[in-house]
Amino acid sequence: MFLRADVNVANSTVQRSYTRDQIFDSALLPQATDRPYFTPGFPLAVPLEHGSRILSFEGASVPPAPSKVTNPIVSDTNQLAWYNSSAMIGLVTVDTPRSQALIGFVKANGKSVTNLTADVQNRFCTIAITSLESAPISRASRLLLTLGSRVENQGMRWNDRRSNLSEWGESPTLIEPVVGRITLRSLERAKTVSVQPLDGSGQPMGEPILAEKKGERWDLPLGKAVTTWYEVTVTR
């Protein structure tokens, strides 16, 4: 979605400058201090809301303007949002005309985007819907539904601290399928909606699944086919 420029470039760019002394002093800061910018006081929400660029390394120090802490943190394009949580169950949403996604603790947050809602059993997962045409999701006839949760090699083992792998495992790679249902909505003039499970090489796997129409919404069951992606066909 990024290479195709489905997500818009930020509407504004925040510039900041540093003196040479500040650059040298930054090397002495503790690794955990204000990462990833290593700049004390730098509002970490700024790069999520706007573009961020360094104007100069040799001029006067120009810190970025303070950023008001909000929840969610929303980009100035209104296409990206980060939902914070003290319980460490955050969520990121992507909401553009041709690509939309729910990323993180989808079940706990209960959020939706313009054409997609989800009711899943997985605690953590990624659900993305993308138009395979130049048309937006609402008018496209072919869509790609991508689903991801936990993945590991067979026999893979973490060390006691879960900081690295003690055993890398071997093939085949195992996936946790995303189970539940998604709902597509606001699909203009749609008469039928079906999903075709795809195998690892993108070829059809099994029979297509017909979505259930509920008013202007289309419900699609997930989990019967063990796969990470589906081709969605909208008939008009």
Side-chain angles (χ1 to χ4, degrees):
M1 68 178 72
F2 293 98
L3 293 178
R4 199 170 67 172
D6 288 356
V7 177
N8 291 342
V9 175
N11 291 325
S12 62
T13 299
V14 175
Q15 295 182 332
R16 61 193 195 277
S17 295
Y18 301 95
T19 64
R20 290 176 63 85
D21 286 344
Q22 284 177 310
I23 300 302
F24 292 130
D25 290 344
S26 68
L28 304 176
L29 293 173
Q31 290 292 307
T33 301
D34 295 301
R35 297 183 70 176
Y37 292 94
F38 300 97
T39 307
F42 180 80
L44 298 182
V46 164
L48 303 181
E49 298 171 323
H50 313 285
S52 176
R53 297 291 184 272
I54 295 175
L55 181 63
S56 172
F57 286 119
E58 297 182 345
S61 175
V62 180
S67 178
K68 183 180 179 181
V69 178
T70 62
N71 190 14
I73 300 169
V74 181
S75 67
D76 62 15
T77 63
N78 290 314
Q79 292 181 333
L80 306 173
W82 289 261
Y83 292 84
N84 302 309
S85 170
S86 58
M88 302 298 288
I89 49 172
L91 182 76
V92 177
T93 62
V94 180
D95 198 348
T96 79
R98 292 204 297 170
S99 289
Q100 296 169 23
L102 303 168
I103 306 165
F105 295 89
V106 176
K107 179 179 179 180
N109 283 272
K111 303 298 181 181
S112 62
V113 286
T114 300
N115 299 110
L116 173 69
T117 62
D119 181 9
V120 295
Q121 297 176 20
N122 306 69
R123 185 168 180 264
F124 184 95
C125 65
T126 294
I127 302 172
I129 188 81
T130 302
S131 171
L132 293 176
E133 306 168 353
S134 60
I137 292 170
S138 60
R139 298 199 300 271
S141 298
R142 295 177 62 240
L143 307 167
L144 181 66
L145 173 64
T146 307
L147 310 156
S149 187
R150 294 185 298 175
V151 58
E152 63 182 37
N153 291 332
Q154 184 169 274
M156 190 179 83
R157 296 287 183 272
W158 289 95
N159 62 17
D160 293 340
R161 297 176 58 193
R162 294 192 66 82
S163 59
N164 206 339
L165 294 176
S166 58
E167 297 288 343
W168 283 89
E170 56 189 10
S171 63
T173 299
L174 307 176
I175 67 168
E176 176 190 331
V178 177
V179 178
R181 74 173 187 274
I182 67 160
T183 299
L184 300 178
R185 58 188 181 184
S186 301
L187 303 181
E188 296 180 13
R189 305 184 310 281
K191 294 182 179 179
T192 62
V193 177
S194 64
V195 294
Q196 173 63 63
L198 304 175
D199 64 17
S201 61
Q203 298 302 309
M205 182 178 70
E207 296 298 319
I209 303 168
L210 193 63
E212 180 182 359
K213 190 176 190 300
K214 294 183 177 180
E216 296 302 315
R217 304 161 67 93
W218 299 88
D219 278 2
L220 298 166
L222 304 173
K224 184 175 181 180
V226 180
T227 184
T228 58
W229 52 348
Y230 299 79
E231 181 182 6
V232 181
T233 301
V234 181
T235 304
R236 291 177 169 84

